[in-house]
Structures are given as C-alpha cells and as structure tokens.
Amino acid sequence: LVSSFFASKSCTKFGRRLTMQAASVFFLIGVVLDAAARDLAMLIIGRILLGMGVGFANQAVPLFLSEIAPVRIRGALNILFQLDVTIGIL
C-alpha cells in the first residue's frame, strides 16, 4: 500500500514505462533474496521488496494499458490484468 503512493508520484514524474521497469527490478531483487535467504531478516527484506514491486506494478500497469490499448478492448485488458493479479495471489 505504501509503495503505491510512491509509485503514483513516480508515474507522474518519470512515466509509466520507467515505473514498470522499477517494479521489475524490485521483483527481481526480492525473488533473489527470498530464494537465497539464509536467515529471517533476508527473507523479510525480500518480501518487502516483492511488496514494493507489486505496489509499483499495480499503479503503473493499468495506466500504461489504458494509454496503449485500442478503445474497444481497453476495459477488457484492465480487467484481465486484475484477474492475473488475483490468480497470482491465489
């Protein structure tokens, strides 16, 4: 939740594409830390970075999809994104 607020400012200042790239970096570092975790602190830091990646992605991707999608399928793409996020949570 907190990272979504920072992502909102990042989308405005740096653009959607750069914000999605930042989310990818957060995901990548978080996955590596979680996969290589040797203690609880490393696992928690990895989970925090994964949460930041989710916050940034949830803020930037729907905006980016709305900007690039054809008008007739714009809503469907955004709903499919939310469905993918929900399936990922499951």
Side-chain angles (χ1 to χ4, degrees), residues 1-10 26 48 51-56 58-59:
L1 176 66
V2 174
S3 66
S4 292
F5 295 124
F6 291 109
S8 175
K9 297 292 183 188
S10 175
F26 285 134
I48 289 171
M52 290 176 64
V54 168
F56 271 64
N58 274 333
Q59 182 68 31

Side-chain angles (χ1 to χ4, degrees), residues 11 13 25-26 36 41 47 49-50 56-57 59 68 87:
C11 280
K13 187 171 183 176
V25 170
F26 285 134
R47 293 289 297 189
L49 288 172
L50 287 170
F56 271 64
Q59 182 68 31
I68 66 166
I87 290 171

